[in-house]
Amino acid sequence: ETSTDSFGSKKTREHTMNELFFLGVAISIYFFASFAGATSIFFCKNGDNCLAKSIPLVMALGLVAQVLYFAVRLENTGQIPMSNMFESLVVTSATVSAMYLTWLRTYKVLWITILSPILAFVVLGSALLLDSSVMPLMPALQSSWLTVHVITCMASYSAFLFAFALSVSNSRSVSSANP
């Protein structure tokens, strides 16, 4: 399905049902993980993490759903899904999940476990509000370096989100230590 935008560029198509399915699964998983984190804050006592213990597995499932989305989108469009703002935010959400799972092995901070799914959910939810149509890349962007550039930028944005989460975690622990 092809249409033309106001600048005369051809938009190739919108999402297929498979793509929507995988994004729907990912955002639902991140919502569940956010809910699990919120219940851990308000309803768990004496250091009991309740549902927070399930968050790493749930986040891994969300990351798998997003990787499957990327594979289906690549197969359907024939180009790496990193060419517009929608796809960049989806990549950012996936890198938030990947960084969380990587950093969890080193830093066992409960607040990171609680904030990471919220960050992934908000970023992916923001992406779903944007235009997801695929347009052919202009010749200057038809390079293998585009993929490297986008992944690096989105990973740095995810690292910034984690720095934010760590600062919230630190301010929370400092404020609870000083009544």
Side-chain angles (χ1 to χ4, degrees):
E1 176 178 323
T2 304
S3 64
T4 306
D5 68 5
S6 59
F7 298 108
S9 299
K10 292 189 177 193
K11 293 182 177 182
T12 54
R13 59 158 206 68
E14 296 292 324
H15 283 294
T16 65
M17 287 305 285
N18 289 339
E19 293 172 11
L20 288 175
F21 172 75
F22 289 123
L23 280 182
V25 166
I27 199 161
S28 299
I29 286 171
Y30 293 145
F31 178 77
F32 172 76
S34 299
F35 178 77
T39 59
S40 296
I41 293 171
F42 297 111
F43 299 113
C44 295
K45 303 292 182 209
N46 302 327
D48 183 20
N49 294 340
C50 298
L51 288 175
K53 293 178 182 178
S54 67
I55 291 176
L57 175 63
V58 172
M59 291 291 283
L61 292 174
L63 182 59
V64 167
Q66 285 190 287
V67 168
L68 291 172
Y69 160 78
F70 291 133
V72 170
R73 182 102 166 170
L74 174 64
E75 181 181 320
N76 291 339
T77 63
Q79 69 184 33
I80 302 292
M82 297 181 195
S83 60
N84 58 28
M85 186 63 174
F86 166 80
E87 293 168 341
S88 295
L89 286 176
V90 173
V91 170
T92 302
S93 176
T95 56
V96 164
S97 296
M99 281 189 176
Y100 163 71
L101 293 170
T102 303
W103 288 5
L104 184 65
R105 297 177 63 97
T106 306
Y107 306 106
K108 306 275 188 215
V109 179
L110 178 62
W111 281 97
I112 293 296
T113 298
I114 292 170
L115 290 174
S116 297
I118 295 170
L119 295 173
F121 175 73
V122 168
V123 171
L124 188 57
S126 299
L128 293 175
L129 298 174
L130 299 173
D131 181 21
S132 63
S133 60
V134 178
M135 296 190 315
L137 291 173
M138 58 190 290
L141 295 177
Q142 294 176 354
S143 166
S144 60
W145 286 105
L146 176 69
T147 304
V148 173
H149 170 75
V150 171
I151 289 173
T152 304
C153 288
M154 298 308 115
S156 68
Y157 294 160
S158 296
F160 172 75
L161 287 172
F162 266 96
F164 164 74
L166 283 170
S167 70
V168 168
S169 171
N170 189 36
S171 68
R172 172 86 175 147
S173 64
V174 168
S175 66
S176 65
N178 297 324

